[in-house]
Amino acid sequence: MMRKVQQFLAMPGWQKRVFIQAWCLLGWVRLAILTTSFKHLARNLEHHKQPPPAVPLSEGQQRMAHIIGRLVASAAKYTPWDSLCLAQVLVVQRLLARRGIAGQFYLGVRRGCEATDDPTGLFAHAWLQCGPYIVNGAAGHEAFTVVSAFSWRGAHG
């Protein structure tokens, strides 16, 4: 635990702020997922029937997207509530949109060997992409069939 505290303290100040902001937003988004419809959560996003083309980003924007995706995933490990892929993706999306960084995220399903409470045996996953890179939820995403895709142009959302 002490090593984790030291790693946090060694982060640049802006990354500490993003980590704390992400941790708080993960709680807010978790509550929103439990109490509101997904349609309401995604109201500021453009919905696509087919995966949208990746929006080109500058090297700086791509680097920022990668760091934010990593910080949100790290913050999710320390929440006392479930902060699974959908919550993480929604938080990363909001943090990127506030910084004017465009991207898209995907919702996918597959029949899985993982334990699931769903009687259909379906397992769901969400991942977020900026430019050509997946910045959150990359692990295992290729095993899922995309059922919905959402994008934003980097405006506040």
Side-chain angles (χ1 to χ4, degrees):
M1 180 62 139
M2 191 55 135
R3 185 175 65 87
K4 295 291 184 185
V5 171
Q6 289 172 336
Q7 286 176 334
F8 177 79
L9 293 174
M11 280 192 235
W14 73 269
Q15 287 186 17
K16 289 177 196 167
R17 286 188 296 278
V18 170
F19 181 93
I20 293 167
Q21 185 179 30
W23 192 88
C24 294
L25 281 172
L26 284 164
W28 179 85
V29 167
R30 174 67 176 157
L31 179 63
I33 288 170
L34 294 173
T35 60
T36 55
S37 68
F38 180 77
K39 184 177 181 178
H40 180 74
L41 292 172
R43 70 185 178 279
N44 295 327
L45 302 171
E46 187 175 337
H47 182 251
H48 303 273
K49 300 248 187 256
Q50 298 294 322
V55 174
L57 300 176
S58 71
E59 196 174 305
Q61 288 175 315
Q62 193 64 57
R63 190 171 35 254
M64 178 66 71
H66 174 75
I67 291 169
I68 289 173
R70 191 186 79 234
L71 288 169
V72 170
S74 293
K77 294 176 187 176
Y78 297 99
T79 60
W81 55 84
D82 287 334
S83 293
L84 302 177
C85 56
L86 180 60
Q88 290 182 45
V89 160
L90 291 171
V91 169
V92 173
Q93 185 277 322
R94 281 164 176 74
L95 292 172
L96 294 175
R98 288 178 184 170
R99 289 161 176 81
I101 300 174
Q104 56 276 340
F105 75 83
Y106 304 94
L107 301 176
V109 296
R110 72 176 173 102
R111 292 208 183 272
C113 49
E114 282 97 347
T116 178
D117 293 337
D118 191 322
T120 65
L122 291 177
F123 189 71
H125 185 52
W127 62 97
L128 187 143
Q129 180 175 332
C130 288
Y133 304 106
I134 296 174
V135 298
N136 189 275
H141 79 281
E142 59 280 335
F144 291 83
T145 301
V146 174
V147 293
S148 283
F150 299 86
S151 67
W152 66 96
R153 300 196 192 296
H156 296 291

